Amino acid sequence: MVSSPAEEKEIKELAEKWRGKKGNLIMVLHEIQNHYGYVPRTVALTLSHALDVPLARIYEVITFYNYFKLEAPGKHIISVCMGTACYLKGAPELVARLSEKLGVKAGETTPDKQFHLQQVRCIGCCGLAPVVTVNEKVLAKVKPADIVDQVHACAKGA
């Protein structure tokens, strides 16, 4: 599978924008991730040629940093904060409840590609712990009994 001509042009322009700058590979990968939601293999291959960086080096960076994804995430991204305050106020129970109801573990996407469940370090809303975001909408002081209904309500509102 090869990038389309338009996609290839866009990736080459992105590579040129960051050429010669310190940390350019990570910055380009961030832009790609923000655009696609993950780093598609065809894009990584095109980027390898555009930056004259071995594909293995690109995958080394992608797999080292937890932020980067190699597969398209689900339509609705559910992020459970696992920062200290959220953890102590029940975040693990939220992950367990969502995993059970969605049939996926943290870091996985449901087979229908509707939901992607992930754990994140800290959202920065410690006073609202435990916190979950659904498509960047913040749910505060979430209780395990309510989480599934709250997630589905957010998904419908998207």
Side-chain angles (χ1 to χ4, degrees):
M1 195 175 200
V2 181
S3 298
S4 70
E7 189 175 67
E8 195 169 320
K9 181 178 184 264
E10 187 178 340
I11 295 162
K12 286 179 179 178
E13 287 173 358
L14 188 58
E16 277 307 311
K17 172 182 165 186
W18 289 100
R19 187 173 304 286
K21 294 181 181 170
K22 191 172 181 171
N24 67 346
L25 180 55
I26 291 175
M27 299 312 297
V28 170
L29 289 171
H30 271 284
E31 287 199 38
I32 290 169
Q33 173 96 11
N34 290 339
H35 180 73
Y36 294 96
Y38 72 114
V39 181
R41 180 165 176 73
T42 56
V43 172
L45 187 57
T46 302
L47 183 62
S48 170
H49 294 298
L51 285 176
D52 195 27
V53 172
L55 186 60
R57 175 68 181 135
I58 291 173
Y59 275 89
E60 187 178 73
V61 172
I62 292 170
T63 57
F64 179 80
Y65 293 101
N66 193 35
Y67 172 79
F68 298 115
K69 294 176 181 55
L70 290 169
E71 294 180 16
K75 181 178 178 183
H76 305 288
I77 310 262
I78 305 164
S79 301
V80 180
C81 180
M82 297 301 276
T84 304
C86 290
Y87 188 90
L88 292 174
K89 291 200 173 191
E93 290 83 8
L94 297 175
V95 172
R97 178 85 169 141
L98 287 166
S99 291
E100 175 191 325
K101 288 298 180 184
L102 296 173
V104 295
K105 296 176 188 162
E108 295 180 344
T109 301
T110 56
D112 64 1
K113 303 286 186 207
Q114 287 298 303
F115 296 98
H116 179 80
L117 177 61
Q118 63 186 16
Q119 297 178 113
V120 295
R121 296 263 181 227
C122 182
I123 294 174
C125 301
C126 302
L128 303 174
V131 174
V132 174
T133 63
V134 180
N135 301 333
E136 299 180 12
K137 179 177 177 16
V138 177
L139 304 176
K141 299 184 180 188
V142 182
K143 299 191 181 342
D146 303 330
I147 188 60
V148 175
D149 290 338
Q150 287 180 302
V151 164
H152 285 294
C154 286
K156 285 180 182 174

